[in-house]
Amino acid sequence: MSLWPVLAALPWIAQPLAMLWRVRGSRTLDAESDIAPPDAPLVSVIIPARNEAHNIEACVRSILSSTYPALEVIVVDDRSEDATGELARAIAARDGRVRVIESRPLDAGWLGKQWACAQGAAAARGEMLCFTDADTRHAPDLLVRSVNAMRARRAELFSVIGQQALGTFWERAVQPQVFSMLLARYGGPEVVNRSPRAVDKIANGQCLFVRRDAYDALGGHGAVRGKVAEDLALAQLFFARGKRTELIAGLNQLSTRMYTSLGELVHGWMKNVYAGGVDATPGGRVGRALLPLLLVAAPVIMLAPPLALIAAALGLVGSGVALWAAIATAAMLAWWVLVYAGVLRLSPAYALAFPLGAAVLLYIIVRAVARGRRVEWKGREYRIGSRMTPSA
């Protein structure tokens, strides 16, 4: 029997092994002290919130449950069209640690999230700032462990990767595909931390700590006002300017449910996957020119073996191709069983849906590339580099 089908399947076998290798030794917040330091600095937690009535109460209450002793929470109501502001002000009326500020009209050249974050930072009193999203939930020990880790590592930018809450079938089918692609690009937190290149730095805007003095010195969110992936851009900026950046996993301390439906998944990732990915692409102009092909290649590689199996079942390809497809598909199934059962604590049966998830990811990427540098989010539309008139 010819060995070529086995040899041809080696990339599909090697890629999961390489990803496992790249996450080895990743430290977590569980290893950090959960006892607040006696000289605990004031931490200002800033929540930019636009049309987040379904999230804002649970988010703020989770932060207020923190065991950290020196805390203020600033909710920036970014001209919401729902009850976000009212709900936040009701909490502020009962807890003096919470303040709500109204965002000014969006200024030219700014994306909405950065505009809201900058206003929150201007109102903050803390020595440390924590930018977080309204769809996050914070465990009581998140702030304590993060501050201790940040100080021990002398980090000036410190970001926590949390658990992704996946409620619906589509979330469970598509979100792991996206994060697997990110893992393939960046590796685990320690790989990111060890990299000597700014282009390899990344942060999670769902939980991003900065030292106030370093943040102000670099221009804060104003320095990344036109970047779709502002968290990644901040990490790259801090590192390029000689500041220490750290990324860590905090799966037991932070959870986020980014999207709740297929429509939200498609719309949400469309705004980031290409326009934001440009800043994460190494290789200068050549790398950026190749980015659309590289993005499309990820789901296509995932889809090729199961599609070849279907073709074999229909008698459209020979036995050699069928054997290659069977080996490669089995390798990917093993990877996704590990992801769903071992990491996400979900039924391993979801592994069978990986071709569907890859197909949706391919659709998202193609649409994002077609839109180019045009981004729409929460009723506002932008062309990266020059702000378009918001539609709302």
Short mmCIF file of all heavy atoms in Angstrom, two decimals, residues 256-317:
data_model
loop_
_atom_site.label_atom_id
_atom_site.label_comp_id
_atom_site.label_asym_id
_atom_site.label_seq_id
_atom_site.Cartn_x
_atom_site.Cartn_y
_atom_site.Cartn_z
N THR A 256 -17.07 35.24 29.91
CA THR A 256 -17.66 36.17 28.96
C THR A 256 -18.59 35.41 28.03
O THR A 256 -18.23 34.33 27.55
CB THR A 256 -16.58 36.87 28.11
OG1 THR A 256 -15.57 37.40 28.96
CG2 THR A 256 -17.19 37.99 27.27
N ARG A 257 -19.74 35.96 27.78
CA ARG A 257 -20.58 35.45 26.71
C ARG A 257 -20.69 36.53 25.66
O ARG A 257 -21.48 37.48 25.78
CB ARG A 257 -21.97 35.04 27.22
CG ARG A 257 -22.77 34.31 26.15
CD ARG A 257 -24.09 33.78 26.66
NE ARG A 257 -24.78 33.06 25.59
CZ ARG A 257 -26.03 32.60 25.70
NH1 ARG A 257 -26.70 32.80 26.83
NH2 ARG A 257 -26.58 31.97 24.69
N MET A 258 -19.88 36.41 24.64
CA MET A 258 -19.74 37.48 23.66
C MET A 258 -20.99 37.63 22.80
O MET A 258 -21.44 38.75 22.54
CB MET A 258 -18.53 37.20 22.76
CG MET A 258 -17.21 37.18 23.50
SD MET A 258 -15.82 36.71 22.42
CE MET A 258 -15.80 38.09 21.27
N TYR A 259 -21.52 36.52 22.31
CA TYR A 259 -22.65 36.56 21.39
C TYR A 259 -23.64 35.47 21.79
O TYR A 259 -23.25 34.44 22.36
CB TYR A 259 -22.17 36.34 19.96
CG TYR A 259 -21.01 37.23 19.56
CD1 TYR A 259 -19.76 36.69 19.23
CD2 TYR A 259 -21.15 38.60 19.54
CE1 TYR A 259 -18.70 37.50 18.90
CE2 TYR A 259 -20.09 39.43 19.21
CZ TYR A 259 -18.85 38.87 18.89
OH TYR A 259 -17.81 39.68 18.57
N THR A 260 -24.91 35.68 21.45
CA THR A 260 -25.94 34.74 21.89
C THR A 260 -26.72 34.12 20.74
O THR A 260 -27.65 33.36 20.99
CB THR A 260 -26.93 35.44 22.84
OG1 THR A 260 -27.55 36.52 22.14
CG2 THR A 260 -26.21 35.98 24.07
N SER A 261 -26.36 34.43 19.50
CA SER A 261 -27.08 33.87 18.36
C SER A 261 -26.14 33.79 17.18
O SER A 261 -25.06 34.40 17.17
CB SER A 261 -28.29 34.74 18.01
OG SER A 261 -27.85 36.00 17.50
N LEU A 262 -26.56 33.06 16.15
CA LEU A 262 -25.75 32.96 14.94
C LEU A 262 -25.57 34.32 14.29
O LEU A 262 -24.47 34.66 13.84
CB LEU A 262 -26.41 31.98 13.96
CG LEU A 262 -25.69 31.80 12.62
CD1 LEU A 262 -24.28 31.28 12.82
CD2 LEU A 262 -26.49 30.85 11.71
N GLY A 263 -26.63 35.11 14.24
CA GLY A 263 -26.52 36.44 13.65
C GLY A 263 -25.51 37.31 14.37
O GLY A 263 -24.71 38.01 13.73
N GLU A 264 -25.52 37.28 15.71
CA GLU A 264 -24.56 38.07 16.48
C GLU A 264 -23.14 37.57 16.25
O GLU A 264 -22.20 38.38 16.17
CB GLU A 264 -24.90 38.00 17.97
CG GLU A 264 -26.11 38.82 18.37
CD GLU A 264 -26.32 38.84 19.88
OE1 GLU A 264 -25.43 38.33 20.61
OE2 GLU A 264 -27.34 39.36 20.33
N LEU A 265 -22.97 36.26 16.17
CA LEU A 265 -21.64 35.70 15.90
C LEU A 265 -21.08 36.21 14.58
O LEU A 265 -19.94 36.66 14.51
CB LEU A 265 -21.72 34.17 15.87
CG LEU A 265 -21.73 33.43 17.19
CD1 LEU A 265 -22.21 31.99 16.99
CD2 LEU A 265 -20.32 33.42 17.78
N VAL A 266 -21.90 36.11 13.54
CA VAL A 266 -21.44 36.53 12.21
C VAL A 266 -21.13 38.02 12.21
O VAL A 266 -20.05 38.45 11.77
CB VAL A 266 -22.51 36.19 11.15
CG1 VAL A 266 -22.14 36.82 9.81
CG2 VAL A 266 -22.66 34.68 11.00
N HIS A 267 -22.04 38.82 12.73
CA HIS A 267 -21.87 40.27 12.72
C HIS A 267 -20.69 40.69 13.60
O HIS A 267 -19.90 41.56 13.23
CB HIS A 267 -23.16 40.94 13.18
CG HIS A 267 -23.20 42.41 12.91
ND1 HIS A 267 -23.15 42.94 11.65
CD2 HIS A 267 -23.29 43.47 13.76
CE1 HIS A 267 -23.21 44.26 11.72
NE2 HIS A 267 -23.29 44.60 12.99
N GLY A 268 -20.57 40.05 14.77
CA GLY A 268 -19.51 40.43 15.69
C GLY A 268 -18.12 40.12 15.18
O GLY A 268 -17.22 40.96 15.22
N TRP A 269 -17.92 38.91 14.68
CA TRP A 269 -16.58 38.54 14.21
C TRP A 269 -16.25 39.20 12.89
O TRP A 269 -15.05 39.40 12.58
CB TRP A 269 -16.44 37.03 14.12
CG TRP A 269 -16.25 36.39 15.46
CD1 TRP A 269 -17.09 35.52 16.08
CD2 TRP A 269 -15.16 36.60 16.36
NE1 TRP A 269 -16.59 35.16 17.31
CE2 TRP A 269 -15.41 35.80 17.50
CE3 TRP A 269 -14.00 37.36 16.31
CZ2 TRP A 269 -14.53 35.76 18.59
CZ3 TRP A 269 -13.12 37.33 17.39
CH2 TRP A 269 -13.39 36.54 18.51
N MET A 270 -17.25 39.56 12.10
CA MET A 270 -16.96 40.27 10.85
C MET A 270 -16.21 41.57 11.09
O MET A 270 -15.39 41.99 10.28
CB MET A 270 -18.26 40.56 10.10
CG MET A 270 -18.72 39.47 9.15
SD MET A 270 -20.25 39.93 8.32
CE MET A 270 -19.75 41.47 7.52
N LYS A 271 -16.48 42.22 12.21
CA LYS A 271 -15.84 43.52 12.45
C LYS A 271 -14.38 43.37 12.87
O LYS A 271 -13.60 44.32 12.77
CB LYS A 271 -16.60 44.30 13.52
CG LYS A 271 -16.44 43.79 14.93
CD LYS A 271 -17.22 44.64 15.93
CE LYS A 271 -17.16 44.07 17.33
NZ LYS A 271 -15.82 44.10 17.92
N ASN A 272 -13.99 42.17 13.33
CA ASN A 272 -12.63 42.00 13.85
C ASN A 272 -11.71 41.18 12.97
O ASN A 272 -10.51 41.43 12.92
CB ASN A 272 -12.69 41.31 15.23
CG ASN A 272 -13.06 42.26 16.34
OD1 ASN A 272 -12.75 43.45 16.27
ND2 ASN A 272 -13.73 41.76 17.35
N VAL A 273 -12.27 40.19 12.28
CA VAL A 273 -11.41 39.14 11.75
C VAL A 273 -10.46 39.64 10.67
O VAL A 273 -9.33 39.17 10.58
CB VAL A 273 -12.27 37.96 11.24
CG1 VAL A 273 -13.02 38.33 9.98
CG2 VAL A 273 -11.43 36.72 11.02
N TYR A 274 -10.88 40.61 9.87
CA TYR A 274 -9.98 41.14 8.84
C TYR A 274 -9.47 42.54 9.19
O TYR A 274 -8.27 42.75 9.26
CB TYR A 274 -10.67 41.18 7.47
CG TYR A 274 -9.79 41.79 6.40
CD1 TYR A 274 -8.66 41.13 5.96
CD2 TYR A 274 -10.08 43.05 5.86
CE1 TYR A 274 -7.82 41.69 5.00
CE2 TYR A 274 -9.27 43.62 4.90
CZ TYR A 274 -8.14 42.94 4.47
OH TYR A 274 -7.32 43.50 3.53
N ALA A 275 -10.38 43.47 9.45
CA ALA A 275 -9.95 44.84 9.75
C ALA A 275 -9.07 44.89 10.99
O ALA A 275 -8.12 45.68 11.07
CB ALA A 275 -11.16 45.75 9.92
N GLY A 276 -9.36 44.02 11.97
CA GLY A 276 -8.52 43.95 13.16
C GLY A 276 -7.29 43.10 12.94
O GLY A 276 -6.22 43.35 13.52
N GLY A 277 -7.42 42.06 12.10
CA GLY A 277 -6.31 41.15 11.87
C GLY A 277 -5.13 41.77 11.14
O GLY A 277 -4.01 41.26 11.22
N VAL A 278 -5.36 42.86 10.44
CA VAL A 278 -4.27 43.53 9.71
C VAL A 278 -3.13 43.88 10.65
O VAL A 278 -1.95 43.73 10.31
CB VAL A 278 -4.81 44.78 8.99
CG1 VAL A 278 -3.67 45.64 8.47
CG2 VAL A 278 -5.73 44.38 7.86
N ASP A 279 -3.45 44.35 11.85
CA ASP A 279 -2.42 44.77 12.79
C ASP A 279 -1.71 43.59 13.46
O ASP A 279 -0.70 43.80 14.14
CB ASP A 279 -3.03 45.67 13.88
CG ASP A 279 -3.52 46.99 13.30
OD1 ASP A 279 -2.82 47.57 12.46
OD2 ASP A 279 -4.62 47.43 13.68
N ALA A 280 -2.24 42.39 13.29
CA ALA A 280 -1.62 41.22 13.89
C ALA A 280 -0.80 40.41 12.90
O ALA A 280 -0.30 39.34 13.24
CB ALA A 280 -2.70 40.33 14.51
N THR A 281 -0.67 40.92 11.70
CA THR A 281 -0.04 40.16 10.63
C THR A 281 1.44 40.53 10.50
O THR A 281 1.77 41.69 10.23
CB THR A 281 -0.75 40.43 9.29
OG1 THR A 281 -2.13 40.15 9.44
CG2 THR A 281 -0.18 39.55 8.20
N PRO A 282 2.34 39.56 10.70
CA PRO A 282 3.76 39.84 10.48
C PRO A 282 4.08 39.89 9.00
O PRO A 282 3.27 39.51 8.15
CB PRO A 282 4.45 38.64 11.15
CG PRO A 282 3.45 37.53 11.07
CD PRO A 282 2.10 38.19 11.16
N GLY A 283 5.26 40.37 8.68
CA GLY A 283 5.70 40.37 7.29
C GLY A 283 5.47 41.67 6.55
O GLY A 283 5.64 41.72 5.33
N GLY A 284 5.07 42.73 7.25
CA GLY A 284 4.92 44.03 6.62
C GLY A 284 3.87 44.03 5.52
O GLY A 284 2.82 43.40 5.63
N ARG A 285 4.17 44.73 4.43
CA ARG A 285 3.20 44.87 3.34
C ARG A 285 2.89 43.53 2.69
O ARG A 285 1.75 43.28 2.28
CB ARG A 285 3.74 45.84 2.30
CG ARG A 285 3.81 47.29 2.77
CD ARG A 285 4.29 48.20 1.66
NE ARG A 285 4.35 49.60 2.09
CZ ARG A 285 4.78 50.59 1.31
NH1 ARG A 285 5.18 50.33 0.06
NH2 ARG A 285 4.80 51.82 1.77
N VAL A 286 3.90 42.68 2.58
CA VAL A 286 3.67 41.37 1.97
C VAL A 286 2.71 40.56 2.83
O VAL A 286 1.77 39.93 2.32
CB VAL A 286 5.01 40.62 1.79
CG1 VAL A 286 4.76 39.19 1.29
CG2 VAL A 286 5.92 41.37 0.83
N GLY A 287 2.93 40.57 4.14
CA GLY A 287 2.05 39.84 5.04
C GLY A 287 0.62 40.35 4.98
O GLY A 287 -0.33 39.56 4.94
N ARG A 288 0.47 41.68 4.94
CA ARG A 288 -0.88 42.24 4.88
C ARG A 288 -1.56 41.91 3.55
O ARG A 288 -2.77 41.70 3.49
CB ARG A 288 -0.82 43.76 5.11
CG ARG A 288 -0.46 44.14 6.54
CD ARG A 288 -0.65 45.61 6.79
NE ARG A 288 0.32 46.42 6.07
CZ ARG A 288 1.52 46.74 6.54
NH1 ARG A 288 1.90 46.30 7.73
NH2 ARG A 288 2.35 47.51 5.84
N ALA A 289 -0.77 41.89 2.46
CA ALA A 289 -1.34 41.54 1.17
C ALA A 289 -1.81 40.09 1.14
O ALA A 289 -2.80 39.76 0.48
CB ALA A 289 -0.31 41.78 0.06
N LEU A 290 -1.11 39.22 1.87
CA LEU A 290 -1.45 37.80 1.90
C LEU A 290 -2.51 37.46 2.94
O LEU A 290 -3.00 36.33 2.96
CB LEU A 290 -0.20 36.96 2.16
CG LEU A 290 0.87 36.96 1.07
CD1 LEU A 290 2.10 36.19 1.54
CD2 LEU A 290 0.32 36.37 -0.22
N LEU A 291 -2.85 38.43 3.81
CA LEU A 291 -3.76 38.14 4.91
C LEU A 291 -5.08 37.53 4.46
O LEU A 291 -5.54 36.54 5.07
CB LEU A 291 -4.01 39.41 5.73
CG LEU A 291 -5.00 39.27 6.89
CD1 LEU A 291 -4.51 38.22 7.89
CD2 LEU A 291 -5.23 40.61 7.59
N PRO A 292 -5.76 38.04 3.43
CA PRO A 292 -7.02 37.39 3.04
C PRO A 292 -6.86 35.92 2.71
O PRO A 292 -7.70 35.09 3.11
CB PRO A 292 -7.45 38.20 1.80
CG PRO A 292 -6.82 39.54 1.99
CD PRO A 292 -5.50 39.26 2.64
N LEU A 293 -5.79 35.57 2.01
CA LEU A 293 -5.55 34.16 1.68
C LEU A 293 -5.27 33.34 2.92
O LEU A 293 -5.75 32.20 3.06
CB LEU A 293 -4.39 34.04 0.69
CG LEU A 293 -4.62 34.62 -0.70
CD1 LEU A 293 -3.35 34.50 -1.54
CD2 LEU A 293 -5.78 33.93 -1.39
N LEU A 294 -4.50 33.90 3.86
CA LEU A 294 -4.17 33.17 5.08
C LEU A 294 -5.41 32.94 5.93
O LEU A 294 -5.58 31.86 6.52
CB LEU A 294 -3.12 33.95 5.88
CG LEU A 294 -1.75 34.11 5.21
CD1 LEU A 294 -0.86 35.02 6.03
CD2 LEU A 294 -1.08 32.75 5.03
N LEU A 295 -6.28 33.94 5.99
CA LEU A 295 -7.50 33.80 6.76
C LEU A 295 -8.41 32.73 6.15
O LEU A 295 -8.93 31.86 6.86
CB LEU A 295 -8.24 35.13 6.83
CG LEU A 295 -7.62 36.22 7.71
CD1 LEU A 295 -8.36 37.54 7.51
CD2 LEU A 295 -7.64 35.82 9.17
N VAL A 296 -8.59 32.78 4.86
CA VAL A 296 -9.45 31.81 4.19
C VAL A 296 -8.87 30.40 4.31
O VAL A 296 -9.61 29.42 4.43
CB VAL A 296 -9.64 32.20 2.71
CG1 VAL A 296 -10.28 31.07 1.91
CG2 VAL A 296 -10.50 33.46 2.60
N ALA A 297 -7.55 30.31 4.30
CA ALA A 297 -6.91 28.99 4.34
C ALA A 297 -7.25 28.21 5.61
O ALA A 297 -7.38 26.98 5.56
CB ALA A 297 -5.40 29.14 4.22
N ALA A 298 -7.42 28.91 6.73
CA ALA A 298 -7.65 28.21 8.01
C ALA A 298 -8.91 27.34 7.97
O ALA A 298 -8.83 26.13 8.24
CB ALA A 298 -7.71 29.22 9.15
N PRO A 299 -10.09 27.88 7.65
CA PRO A 299 -11.26 27.00 7.59
C PRO A 299 -11.24 26.05 6.40
O PRO A 299 -11.80 24.95 6.47
CB PRO A 299 -12.44 27.97 7.51
CG PRO A 299 -11.87 29.23 6.96
CD PRO A 299 -10.47 29.30 7.49
N VAL A 300 -10.63 26.45 5.28
CA VAL A 300 -10.57 25.56 4.12
C VAL A 300 -9.77 24.31 4.46
O VAL A 300 -10.17 23.19 4.09
CB VAL A 300 -9.96 26.30 2.91
CG1 VAL A 300 -9.59 25.31 1.80
CG2 VAL A 300 -10.95 27.33 2.37
N ILE A 301 -8.66 24.47 5.15
CA ILE A 301 -7.87 23.32 5.57
C ILE A 301 -8.68 22.40 6.48
O ILE A 301 -8.59 21.17 6.40
CB ILE A 301 -6.58 23.80 6.27
CG1 ILE A 301 -5.63 24.43 5.24
CG2 ILE A 301 -5.89 22.66 7.00
CD1 ILE A 301 -4.44 25.13 5.86
N MET A 302 -9.51 23.00 7.32
CA MET A 302 -10.35 22.22 8.21
C MET A 302 -11.43 21.47 7.45
O MET A 302 -11.80 20.34 7.78
CB MET A 302 -10.98 23.15 9.25
CG MET A 302 -11.61 22.45 10.44
SD MET A 302 -10.40 21.82 11.61
CE MET A 302 -9.66 23.34 12.17
N LEU A 303 -11.94 22.07 6.40
CA LEU A 303 -13.05 21.49 5.64
C LEU A 303 -12.61 20.46 4.61
O LEU A 303 -13.40 19.57 4.24
CB LEU A 303 -13.82 22.60 4.92
CG LEU A 303 -14.74 23.48 5.77
CD1 LEU A 303 -15.18 24.70 4.99
CD2 LEU A 303 -15.94 22.67 6.23
N ALA A 304 -11.39 20.56 4.14
CA ALA A 304 -10.96 19.71 3.02
C ALA A 304 -11.11 18.21 3.28
O ALA A 304 -11.67 17.49 2.44
CB ALA A 304 -9.53 20.05 2.62
N PRO A 305 -10.63 17.67 4.43
CA PRO A 305 -10.75 16.22 4.62
C PRO A 305 -12.20 15.71 4.70
O PRO A 305 -12.52 14.72 4.02
CB PRO A 305 -9.98 15.98 5.92
CG PRO A 305 -9.00 17.10 5.98
CD PRO A 305 -9.75 18.28 5.44
N PRO A 306 -13.10 16.33 5.49
CA PRO A 306 -14.47 15.79 5.49
C PRO A 306 -15.16 15.92 4.14
O PRO A 306 -15.96 15.05 3.76
CB PRO A 306 -15.19 16.61 6.57
CG PRO A 306 -14.33 17.78 6.84
CD PRO A 306 -12.94 17.38 6.53
N LEU A 307 -14.85 16.98 3.38
CA LEU A 307 -15.42 17.10 2.05
C LEU A 307 -14.89 16.01 1.13
O LEU A 307 -15.63 15.45 0.30
CB LEU A 307 -15.13 18.49 1.46
CG LEU A 307 -15.87 19.66 2.09
CD1 LEU A 307 -15.43 20.97 1.45
CD2 LEU A 307 -17.38 19.49 1.96
N ALA A 308 -13.61 15.68 1.30
CA ALA A 308 -13.05 14.59 0.51
C ALA A 308 -13.67 13.25 0.88
O ALA A 308 -13.85 12.37 0.02
CB ALA A 308 -11.52 14.54 0.70
N LEU A 309 -14.01 13.07 2.17
CA LEU A 309 -14.69 11.84 2.58
C LEU A 309 -16.05 11.72 1.90
O LEU A 309 -16.46 10.62 1.48
CB LEU A 309 -14.86 11.81 4.10
CG LEU A 309 -13.69 11.28 4.93
CD1 LEU A 309 -14.07 11.29 6.40
CD2 LEU A 309 -13.29 9.88 4.50
N ILE A 310 -16.76 12.83 1.82
CA ILE A 310 -18.06 12.81 1.13
C ILE A 310 -17.86 12.46 -0.34
O ILE A 310 -18.62 11.65 -0.91
CB ILE A 310 -18.76 14.17 1.29
CG1 ILE A 310 -19.12 14.42 2.76
CG2 ILE A 310 -20.01 14.24 0.42
CD1 ILE A 310 -19.66 15.81 3.04
N ALA A 311 -16.85 13.05 -0.94
CA ALA A 311 -16.57 12.75 -2.34
C ALA A 311 -16.22 11.27 -2.52
O ALA A 311 -16.63 10.64 -3.51
CB ALA A 311 -15.42 13.63 -2.84
N ALA A 312 -15.49 10.71 -1.57
CA ALA A 312 -15.15 9.29 -1.66
C ALA A 312 -16.39 8.43 -1.55
O ALA A 312 -16.53 7.42 -2.25
CB ALA A 312 -14.14 8.94 -0.56
N ALA A 313 -17.30 8.81 -0.66
CA ALA A 313 -18.54 8.05 -0.50
C ALA A 313 -19.38 8.07 -1.76
O ALA A 313 -20.13 7.12 -2.05
CB ALA A 313 -19.34 8.60 0.68
N LEU A 314 -19.24 9.15 -2.53
CA LEU A 314 -19.98 9.27 -3.79
C LEU A 314 -19.23 8.67 -4.97
O LEU A 314 -19.70 8.74 -6.11
CB LEU A 314 -20.30 10.74 -4.07
CG LEU A 314 -21.21 11.45 -3.05
CD1 LEU A 314 -21.32 12.93 -3.37
CD2 LEU A 314 -22.59 10.80 -3.04
N GLY A 315 -18.05 8.10 -4.68
CA GLY A 315 -17.26 7.48 -5.73
C GLY A 315 -16.56 8.47 -6.64
O GLY A 315 -16.19 8.12 -7.77
N LEU A 316 -16.36 9.69 -6.16
CA LEU A 316 -15.77 10.74 -7.00
C LEU A 316 -14.25 10.79 -6.91
O LEU A 316 -13.60 11.46 -7.72
CB LEU A 316 -16.35 12.10 -6.62
CG LEU A 316 -17.87 12.23 -6.75
CD1 LEU A 316 -18.33 13.61 -6.28
CD2 LEU A 316 -18.30 12.00 -8.19
N VAL A 317 -13.66 10.15 -5.88
CA VAL A 317 -12.21 10.14 -5.72
C VAL A 317 -11.76 8.71 -5.44
O VAL A 317 -12.56 7.85 -5.05
CB VAL A 317 -11.74 11.08 -4.59
CG1 VAL A 317 -12.10 12.52 -4.89
CG2 VAL A 317 -12.35 10.66 -3.26
#
